[in-house]
């Protein structure tokens, strides 16, 4: 009986592993999430909330780091680079590796603080990878997000219009960059001025998605943000 029981247990474990693999499309997406810097609780909202969201249905395996010196070590083994940091990336080899990662057609997700003009001595980051950037935002408060592309894979299952409290980033396009496809805009209620909030950077080789939302729990803990996050990682990884 013990051998029969052991066989049943082993078969169950195999079936479970096959089920997880099937749910993740056969192979988990390997994500390197980079956090750290100022003005945000990166450990709580990225290392904590967003890693949990991405690993919730076993489709992704996330490595979180807040030491940018470790990017070089991890980058060759991942499918998606998820940048949420605003701390400096000063090492020339690391900068080159990120640009090479993009040129190789790998996936990139840019979250909140990574859309800022963080590095004056590395303008190619904003020009080529972000196709612009942000230098200011409204005070933290309530605003509206409205989808402009409801059928794109990144916006699948997301409400066409929703409100939240966050920092409304004033993203501006760099005309010398590759350009963007706007998927959603953000604006204050009653205002005629809107800014790109969710968009795709039209890189000729890599899939790059930018999500300007993400200051604190009012973004990270809502279902629409979580769907955007999951959809973005899957889409940039060709999942």
């Amino acid at each position: 009986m013990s051998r029969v029981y052991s066989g049943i247990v082993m078969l169950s474990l195999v079936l479970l592993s096959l089920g997880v693999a099937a749910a993740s499309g056969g192979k988990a997406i390997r994500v390197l999430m980079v956090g750290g810097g100022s003005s945000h609780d990166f450990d709580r909202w990225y290392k904590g909330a967003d890693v949990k969201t991405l690993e919730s249905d076993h489709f992704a395996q996330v490595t979180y780091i807040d030491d940018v010196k470790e990017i070089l070590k991890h980058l060759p083994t991942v499918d998606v680079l998820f940048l949420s940091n605003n701390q400096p990336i000063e090492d020339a080899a690391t900068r080159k590796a990120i640009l090479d990662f993009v040129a190789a057609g790998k996936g990139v997700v840019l979250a909140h603080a990574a859309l800022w003009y963080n590095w004056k001595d590395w303008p190619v980051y904003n020009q080529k990878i972000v196709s612009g950037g942000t230098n200011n935002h409204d005070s933290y408060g309530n605003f509206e997000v409205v989808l402009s592309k409801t059928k794109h894979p990144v916006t699948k299952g997301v409400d066409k219009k929703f409100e939240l409290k966050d920092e409304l980033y004033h993203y501006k396009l760099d005309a010398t960059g590759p350009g963007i496809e706007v998927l959603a805009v953000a604006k204050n209620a009653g205002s005629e001025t809107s800014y790109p909030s969710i968009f795709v950077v039209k890189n000729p080789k890599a899939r790059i998605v930018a999500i300007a939302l993400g200051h604190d729990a009012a973004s990270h803990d809502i279902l629409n943000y979580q769907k955007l996050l999951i959809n973005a990682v899957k889409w940039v990884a060709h999942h």
Side-chain angles (χ1 to χ4, degrees):
M1 291 295 294
S2 61
R3 289 184 178 180
V4 172
Y5 178 76
S6 297
I8 292 172
V9 171
M10 182 63 70
L11 178 60
S12 298
L13 290 174
V14 170
L15 291 174
L16 177 61
S17 67
L18 289 174
V20 169
S24 64
K27 182 181 179 183
I29 301 169
R30 300 164 299 176
V31 180
L32 175 62
M33 184 182 293
V34 184
S38 62
S39 305
H40 302 85
D41 192 340
F42 294 95
D43 278 359
R44 186 174 183 181
W45 304 124
Y46 291 96
K47 182 180 181 180
D50 284 359
V51 169
K52 182 179 179 180
T53 294
L54 292 176
E55 293 187 337
S56 61
D57 66 356
H58 308 288
F59 80 89
Q61 180 181 352
V62 185
T63 299
Y64 178 90
I65 61 172
D66 56 14
D67 182 354
V68 295
K69 294 177 183 177
E70 295 184 6
I71 293 175
L72 273 177
K73 177 177 68 177
H74 293 287
L75 207 54
T77 63
V78 299
D79 307 303
V80 175
L81 176 62
F82 186 117
L83 296 175
S84 68
N85 61 303
N86 58 15
Q87 64 172 312
I89 299 176
E90 298 174 331
D91 178 60
T94 301
R95 291 178 174 183
K96 182 179 184 301
I98 291 173
L99 294 173
D100 289 346
F101 186 86
V102 172
K106 296 297 185 70
V108 178
V109 176
L110 306 171
H112 199 54
L115 299 179
W116 206 259
Y117 277 103
N118 292 307
W119 308 295
K120 292 181 179 180
D121 64 337
W122 193 23
V124 70
Y125 170 82
N126 285 91
Q127 180 192 28
K128 300 296 186 183
I129 299 179
V130 190
S131 197
T134 306
N135 275 323
N136 51 48
H137 60 71
D138 289 356
S139 298
Y140 179 87
N142 196 66
F143 61 84
E144 186 177 64
V145 177
V146 181
L147 301 190
S148 50
K149 296 287 181 68
T150 58
K151 296 182 179 180
H152 194 281
V154 173
T155 56
K156 182 180 180 181
V158 178
D159 292 337
K160 187 174 181 179
K161 184 184 296 186
F162 61 94
E163 292 186 359
L164 77 168
K165 286 186 176 180
D166 206 320
E167 296 169 327
L168 199 166
Y169 269 30
H170 296 183
Y171 171 88
K172 291 187 177 180
L173 183 69
D174 183 342
T176 67
I180 65 172
E181 178 185 4
V182 179
L183 305 182
V185 297
K187 63 177 182 177
N188 288 308
S191 174
E192 295 297 323
T193 304
S194 62
Y195 298 93
S197 185
I198 314 297
F199 56 90
V200 172
V201 178
K202 296 179 180 179
N203 186 278
K205 295 184 178 179
R207 286 185 174 181
I208 302 175
V209 171
I211 302 174
L213 309 174
H215 183 72
D216 63 10
S219 290
H220 295 266
D221 287 350
I222 66 172
L223 188 58
N224 282 312
Y225 174 89
Q226 293 167 355
K227 285 181 179 178
L228 286 167
L229 203 67
I230 291 171
N231 290 347
V233 169
K234 287 183 176 180
W235 185 71
V236 300
H238 298 265
H239 190 275

